[in-house]
Amino acid sequence: MSTQHTAKQIFRPNKDLSRNAAIKNMCEYHDLQEWAEEDYEGFWGTHAKEKLNWNQPFTKVLDESKFPFVRWFEGGKLNVSTQCIDRHLIIRKNKAAIIFEGDRGDQQIITYLQLSYNVNKFANLLKNRFNVKKGDRVVIYMPMIPESAYAMLACARIGAIHSVVFGGFSSKALRERIMDADAKIVITADGAFRKGKPYMLKPVVDEALAGTTPVDKVLVIQRNNEDIEWVEGRDYSYNEVIEQESSICEPEIMDAEDPLFLLYTSGSTGKPKGVQHNQAGYILWAQMTMEWVFDVKENDTYWCTADIGWITGHTYIVYGPLAIGATTVMFEGVPTYPDAGRAWKMIEEYKINQFYTAPTAIRVLHKVGEDEPKKYDLSSLKILGTVGEPIDPSAWMWYYETVGNSKCSIVDTYWQTETGGHIISPLPGATPIKPGCATFALPGIMAEILDDAGERVPAEEKGFMCVTRPWPAMVRGIWRDEERFIKAYFSDVKKDGKPVYFTGDGAMYDDDGYITITGRTDDVINVSGHRLGTAEIEAAIQKYDNVAEVAVVGKPDKIKGEGVFAYIVLKSDSGVADELEEFKTINDIIKQEIGNIAICENIVFVPGLPKTRSGKIMRRILRSLAKGEAIVQDISTLEDPSVVATISELIGQ
Ligand code: PRX
């Protein structure tokens, strides 16, 4: 399917979907959006009162007096684990809360009552045995198993702040996050299974904790039962100690604005940032977007393939689905193992109604088995979601036609770690959709594409994707770094002279006002939906003592969206003895410093980098060279213009 063929096509929602959807048509959408525009606090206050169970009602909806440090639902008190568990126990105690499928096909179904039992015990364990108190930080370095969700909810129950670190990060990356968060304990597993084989996590934790750290206890969940080292007095086996705890743990009553979790994410500069989300606003929006965007009905089964180490796993595997009392599927493995039909087989077996994955996964599944979905009964599907990176129209069309049998709504959800939940997305029963388009801002979200001067850009012109008013699930801060928070999000774009939240992404309206996200405008790259800072990768490569200078850019990749492309100047006296050997050494360093997700596919050893006379590296030129584009910029002002032709030649070779 060619891009030109599909780009302007419009697909209207299936009538069956519209009839019962949370938002049924565009009139309802516009009414909601108008309500929010005319009475912002009324809109949010009403939803917050209706959707959440408050222990104490809030007295003020929004306090912007210290913008961008805003406060929502002030005076309100609640507990997030109660929203996700306790309030469902009256009518849903025996409903499946989590359906777990292991890599090797093992299965567990956890009802809301069992979830309550497990989370309460876990919460008591943290509180009683490990003395974890409200406000303490707990790092969770875990595979995709139900205990990860128990750990997150147990923290929420006792008011501890969790910081989940993706299990693919290296010991150094884990240590950096433990130190920055000043964590008291680490929850991990011996390891887990991937593609039929065991892999390990505990040894990574051991390495991360070598030397002095604030961590004094490590809780280890047994999953793959491989041999691990044990540090007496520090390490505890969950499976041995959990049974001693009571299954009743009174929830800590939290202020609406107490922190709920930190999640580290990459920015364009420096070390990863500890994005902070707070209690009420986050859970409210997780719940509202679950209802609006996935339109989950009482008997539906919903599957999001993300990892809990990323925000998608937080909001759309754990908090959002459980807040609405849904059945959420958790999958330990990869959708292509043991064969190209694994994902489709699971959809058939569990009768999945909403399937949510990343464009990279869709492209891989398309590549490994174009007609594979047709071998399975996928008729339960109603909504197909995508997230994390732009989806190209051809992947979109395959998803729509072959997976969804041209009957499902595709929700191309645009959002970020910092937005807490979706901000731009089609509504499955209402929005006519176009391939590759995130469409419109959700009701209550004041999103606008602005230019340098803070004016709304005309159709077909690129601008900055901004949100002009704070929303409840907005990032509340970068952990212990107020200045960086302001600089990272509120310094680049102003509207009517006032700073607005800038996402870091470029975007464009079409003639119908549809929004297409065009990608990052900063030095952040998106590899398989994983957000990586080029500065972080450069810092890792710099650790190699044979490297004099390095610049990393993203290179478009048919499957992964982008790949990592590094230009490296080696120290002159050593030169490039063996390129393959150097390539391997550099990638080993990246694996150690960050993890496998950041490895470079392309490394070019160059004699110098294109720099201005003041020494600034011209990344735009390097991006164009990586793409194989002709250089149209004026290069005469470069310190050494000849370097551009040399690099171009080296890439050609
Ligand atoms: O560039 C955008 C891209 O992913 C970035 C956010 O990454 P992260 O914080 O890791 O969260 C990923 C999951 C929400 C954004 O700045 N992105 C996310 N969704 C889309 C997208 N780009 C295009 N279309 C999307 N639907």
Side-chain angles (χ1 to χ4, degrees):
M1 207 71 59
S2 79
T3 309
Q4 289 99 324
H5 168 66
T6 57
K8 297 280 176 210
Q9 247 176 307
I10 294 197
F11 298 84
R12 296 197 180 274
N14 175 322
K15 287 215 174 64
D16 290 340
L17 215 58
S18 308
R19 216 167 287 133
N20 298 309
I23 297 176
K24 295 183 175 54
N25 51 54
M26 289 312 274
C27 285
E28 284 191 17
Y29 165 73
H30 288 299
D31 282 352
L32 279 167
Q33 196 59 315
E34 233 168 73
W35 174 17
E37 271 160 27
E38 281 166 13
D39 179 14
Y40 200 60
E41 294 193 19
F43 172 90
W44 286 113
T46 305
H47 282 102
K49 264 187 221 149
E50 274 176 11
K51 307 267 173 206
L52 300 179
N53 292 27
W54 295 90
N55 291 85
Q56 182 177 300
F58 52 90
T59 48
K60 188 170 174 53
V61 175
L62 171 63
D63 177 0
E64 292 184 86
S65 58
K66 297 199 176 79
F67 183 88
F69 299 94
V70 298
R71 298 180 68 78
W72 282 92
F73 312 122
E74 206 141 35
K77 289 187 191 289
L78 80 182
N79 181 283
V80 166
S81 78
T82 306
Q83 313 300 310
C84 295
I85 306 170
D86 305 49
R87 65 171 165 168
H88 304 308
L89 295 181
I90 301 164
I91 57 164
R92 304 190 177 103
K93 64 177 187 297
N94 294 324
K95 174 176 174 174
I98 299 174
I99 295 179
F100 168 72
E101 177 155 317
D103 177 68
R104 299 180 305 172
D106 48 319
Q107 190 198 65
Q108 275 183 62
I109 297 181
I110 298 118
T111 64
Y112 273 92
L113 193 62
Q114 289 167 325
L115 181 66
S116 169
Y117 178 88
N118 289 317
V119 169
N120 276 275
K121 278 180 165 267
F122 209 131
N124 276 327
L125 177 66
L126 295 180
K127 201 159 86 169
N128 302 334
R129 194 176 277 258
F130 298 139
N131 196 25
V132 177
K133 297 199 174 62
K134 177 179 171 182
D136 285 345
R137 272 80 54 212
V138 173
V139 162
I140 300 176
Y141 185 69
M142 287 280 285
M144 283 292 292
I145 55 175
E147 287 80 1
S148 305
Y150 306 161
M152 291 163 76
L153 291 161
C155 288
R157 194 153 192 94
I158 62 171
I161 305 169
H162 62 69
S163 174
V164 182
V165 178
F166 172 58
F169 278 119
S170 69
S171 60
K172 287 210 174 152
L174 173 61
R175 183 184 175 90
E176 200 172 70
R177 286 155 177 80
I178 290 170
M179 299 305 280
D180 191 81
D182 195 14
K184 188 168 181 174
I185 82 158
V186 175
I187 301 170
T188 189
D190 44 8
F193 299 98
R194 197 182 155 84
K195 296 191 181 173
K197 295 197 184 81
Y199 72 90
M200 302 307 290
L201 290 169
K202 171 67 164 50
V204 185
V205 173
D206 290 338
E207 253 178 63
L209 296 180
T212 316
T213 73
V215 172
D216 59 8
K217 298 279 185 288
V218 175
L219 181 65
V220 186
I221 288 126
Q222 271 151 277
R223 167 66 186 148
N224 64 14
N225 292 311
E226 294 288 310
D227 285 342
I228 47 176
E229 302 218 338
W230 209 250
V231 178
E232 274 318 312
R234 186 198 73 179
D235 298 350
Y236 288 78
S237 162
Y238 169 85
N239 306 57
E240 280 171 21
V241 292
I242 193 69
E243 280 316 318
Q244 296 153 24
E245 298 298 336
S246 149
S247 61
I248 297 168
C249 175
E250 280 306 313
E252 182 80 34
I253 303 307
M254 306 294 286
D255 283 340
E257 284 292 348
D258 279 333
L260 176 64
F261 66 81
L262 305 179
L263 186 54
Y264 284 81
T265 189
S266 299
S268 49
T269 53
K271 290 194 302 187
K273 306 175 279 207
V275 166
Q276 180 186 326
H277 280 291
N278 291 358
Q279 312 274 329
Y282 171 80
I283 197 68
L284 173 67
W285 192 231
Q287 178 171 342
M288 287 171 70
T289 50
M290 271 311 290
E291 289 171 354
W292 286 347
V293 176
F294 294 121
D295 195 35
V296 181
K297 302 290 189 236
E298 193 60 48
N299 198 33
D300 282 354
T301 305
Y302 158 94
W303 180 20
C304 166
T305 67
D307 189 285
I308 48 127
W310 310 112
I311 190 70
T312 308
H314 282 59
T315 310
Y316 297 112
I317 294 179
V318 179
Y319 286 115
L322 298 177
I324 62 163
T327 300
T328 178
V329 173
M330 247 181 128
F331 177 47
E332 183 190 35
V334 294
T336 49
Y337 178 84
D339 57 51
R342 178 71 181 267
W344 317 128
K345 184 164 171 268
M346 282 179 64
I347 292 174
E348 178 180 277
E349 279 180 3
Y350 295 116
K351 305 200 184 317
I352 302 284
N353 305 102
Q354 294 85 4
F355 179 61
Y356 190 31
T357 195
T360 293
I362 297 168
R363 290 188 290 260
V364 169
L365 288 165
H366 183 189
K367 192 173 162 207
V368 298
E370 178 158 7
D371 293 322
E372 199 64 24
K374 293 186 185 141
K375 298 182 192 159
Y376 297 85
D377 176 6
L378 305 184
S379 59
S380 57
L381 286 172
K382 294 188 282 191
I383 292 161
L384 297 171
T386 85
V387 58
E389 42 176 333
I391 177 158
D392 41 300
S394 66
W396 195 101
M397 281 309 296
W398 181 74
Y399 203 30
Y400 183 77
E401 289 179 335
T402 309
V403 180
N405 198 17
S406 303
K407 281 202 283 230
C408 298
S409 269
I410 305 242
V411 288
D412 175 356
T413 62
Y414 167 76
W415 60 297
Q416 313 177 290
T417 305
E418 293 86 343
T419 66
H422 308 142
I423 56 167
I424 297 172
S425 171
L427 295 161
T431 318
I433 42 180
K434 300 184 188 184
C437 243
T439 73
F440 304 109
L442 290 171
I445 300 294
M446 302 299 152
E448 240 184 310
I449 309 174
L450 301 174
D451 64 14
D452 279 334
E455 300 289 339
R456 187 185 163 103
V457 292
E460 307 296 338
E461 264 179 42
K462 272 193 195 176
F464 303 113
M465 190 71 250
C466 298
V467 187
T468 58
R469 293 211 65 178
W471 65 103
M474 179 175 103
V475 48
R476 288 299 193 279
I478 291 175
W479 185 244
R480 292 181 173 162
D481 200 341
E482 293 196 350
E483 220 173 283
R484 198 166 170 209
F485 175 63
I486 299 170
K487 196 152 181 293
Y489 308 112
F490 300 94
S491 302
D492 294 325
V493 190
K494 290 196 171 74
K495 188 184 174 187
D496 303 327
K498 284 207 301 234
V500 295
Y501 176 84
F502 173 42
T503 58
D505 285 300
M508 208 160 65
Y509 295 112
D510 71 5
D511 289 331
D512 302 323
Y514 278 64
I515 295 171
T516 296
I517 304 296
T518 53
R520 301 289 305 194
T521 60
D522 52 10
D523 293 321
V524 169
I525 56 179
N526 195 324
V527 180
S528 304
H530 298 147
R531 176 170 159 183
L532 298 167
T534 53
E536 270 169 80
I537 306 175
E538 287 167 6
I541 296 174
Q542 290 278 13
K543 295 258 156 97
Y544 180 31
D545 53 16
N546 196 18
V547 168
E549 274 188 300
V550 53
V552 166
V553 297
K555 179 185 176 186
D557 181 284
K558 277 209 174 83
I559 297 286
K560 301 197 298 178
E562 277 184 297
V564 183
F565 194 113
Y567 296 90
I568 295 179
V569 184
L570 290 176
K571 288 191 176 147
S572 52
D573 48 351
S574 44
V576 197
D578 180 343
E579 284 206 7
L580 262 182
E581 202 48 44
E582 300 286 16
F583 184 92
K584 200 176 157 300
T585 309
I586 287 162
N587 271 324
D588 283 345
I589 293 175
I590 294 176
K591 278 186 217 165
Q592 267 172 34
E593 294 291 318
I594 306 173
N596 281 342
I597 55 170
I599 56 172
C600 287
E601 282 97 6
N602 295 282
I603 296 178
V604 207
F605 296 102
V606 295
L609 296 170
K611 285 187 196 158
T612 60
R613 292 205 178 106
S614 59
K616 190 169 170 273
I617 297 171
M618 295 296 289
R619 287 169 186 280
R620 228 166 348 123
I621 293 179
L622 292 174
R623 277 194 284 266
S624 298
L625 286 167
K627 285 185 203 163
E629 289 174 354
I631 302 299
V632 289
Q633 296 99 318
D634 176 16
I635 56 168
S636 61
T637 55
L638 293 184
E639 190 187 43
D640 174 10
S642 73
V643 85
V644 175
T646 314
I647 296 177
S648 176
E649 234 168 75
L650 285 166
I651 292 176
Q653 284 167 18

